[in-house]
């Protein structure tokens, strides 16, 4: 079958990746598959839902670390706005916490970026048929890691402290009292077995809890 042949009904793919060179390479490689067509490319998380509503992809291929909202947050929004679109997370960061959050957000697959494009194309076809595709090594690690020990509010407070904000700043942003913010930070530090809030935030991110 010639490479330029494309079935009348190709799999429509939205690609979200913040690195322009990586995004272009993925789009080119996937476009060489006879049954896959990249119909939208975006470089920020905030652009994902709008692009999906406009292009109506069958599968959204999302990176996690994106400017604006994360790919995980975008996956949850896509589940509400475009329920027929299947989400496949493709990331450099194969962390058990990310996998759990991706599944909770409604993703149908989770792969790391070091695999061959043939594997990615196969995963796109599989999720479209209703299968769930997860990197085997990451799935095993996730089962052994257990759920995140942090509450949603503790995560919010750690995220708000990422730019070095003071307790007063965090309290104002989240509409909490300063004493409540201190309690959440103290709890998060204890649960992550770290010495301060910046270490707690780094550890939570390393584990994929944020």
């Amino acid at each position: 079958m010639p490479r330029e042949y494309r079935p009348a009904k190709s799999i429509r793919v939205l690609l979200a990746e913040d690195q322009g060179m990586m995004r272009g390479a993925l789009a080119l490689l996937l476009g060489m598959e006879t049954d896959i067509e990249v119909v939208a490319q975006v470089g920020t998380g905030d652009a994902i839902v709008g692009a999906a509503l406009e292009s109506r992809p069958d599968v959204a291929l999302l990176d996690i670390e994106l400017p604006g909202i994360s790919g995980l947050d975008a996956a949850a929004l896509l589940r509400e706005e475009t329920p027929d679109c299947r989400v496949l997370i493709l990331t450099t960061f194969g962390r058990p916490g990310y996998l759990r959050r991706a599944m909770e957000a409604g993703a149908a697959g989770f792969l790391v970026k070091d695999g061959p494009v043939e594997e990615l194309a196969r995963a796109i076809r599989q999720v479209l048929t209703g299968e769930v595709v997860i990197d085997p090594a990451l799935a095993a690690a996730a089962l052994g890691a257990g759920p995140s020990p942090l509450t949603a509010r503790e995560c919010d407070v750690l995220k708000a402290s990422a730019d070095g904000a003071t307790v007063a700043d965090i309290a104002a942003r989240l509409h909490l009292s300063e004493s409540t913010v201190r309690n959440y930070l103290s709890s998060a530090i204890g649960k992550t077995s770290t010495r301060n809030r910046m270490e707690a935030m780094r550890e939570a991110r390393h584990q994929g809890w944020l």
Side-chain angles (χ1 to χ4, degrees):
M1 182 180 294
R3 254 312 173 192
E4 63 271 12
Y5 171 80
R6 190 174 296 279
K9 176 58 177 173
S10 296
I11 302 171
R12 297 170 61 81
V13 173
L14 178 150
L15 178 59
E17 162 64 52
D18 64 326
Q19 296 184 26
M21 186 175 294
M22 173 69 75
R23 186 170 66 249
L26 277 175
L28 179 62
L29 291 170
L30 289 174
M32 295 175 67
E33 297 293 320
T34 59
D35 59 341
I36 294 175
E37 180 182 5
V38 177
V39 296
Q41 300 180 47
V42 299
T44 67
D46 296 336
I48 290 173
V49 173
L53 290 171
E54 181 177 347
S55 62
R56 293 295 174 181
D58 301 305
V59 177
L61 186 59
L62 311 181
D63 191 7
I64 290 179
E65 299 289 344
L66 294 167
I69 66 172
S70 72
L72 298 176
D73 292 331
L77 292 174
L78 286 176
R79 181 172 56 182
E80 298 176 3
E81 299 291 339
T82 57
D84 292 334
C85 177
R86 304 284 283 174
V87 173
L88 181 59
I89 299 293
L90 181 67
T91 182
T92 304
F93 305 102
R95 297 169 183 167
Y98 279 161
L99 173 57
R100 287 181 177 274
R101 290 171 58 199
M103 296 300 102
E104 290 170 0
F110 194 109
L111 296 175
V112 291
K113 290 180 180 178
D114 59 0
V117 70
E118 293 81 9
E119 179 181 319
L120 176 58
R122 183 166 57 251
I124 289 172
R125 298 182 186 105
Q126 287 176 296
V127 299
L128 191 59
T129 64
E131 295 184 49
V132 175
V133 182
I134 300 173
D135 179 89
L138 186 57
L143 288 174
S148 168
L150 301 174
T151 66
R153 261 317 193 188
E154 288 165 354
C155 288
D156 290 341
V157 169
L158 284 179
K159 289 177 183 177
S161 68
D163 59 357
T166 66
V167 169
D169 291 335
I170 298 170
R173 289 179 192 174
L174 300 180
H175 307 290
L176 298 171
S177 69
E178 292 185 25
S179 61
T180 298
V181 169
R182 290 191 183 93
N183 288 338
Y184 282 135
L185 287 172
S186 177
S187 179
I189 291 167
K191 289 178 179 179
T192 54
S193 301
T194 53
R195 296 173 298 179
N196 55 58
R197 59 176 167 159
M198 297 309 293
E199 287 187 5
M201 183 193 63
R202 285 193 292 268
E203 177 62 19
R205 282 186 168 172
H206 176 73
Q207 294 295 337
W209 298 334
L210 292 184

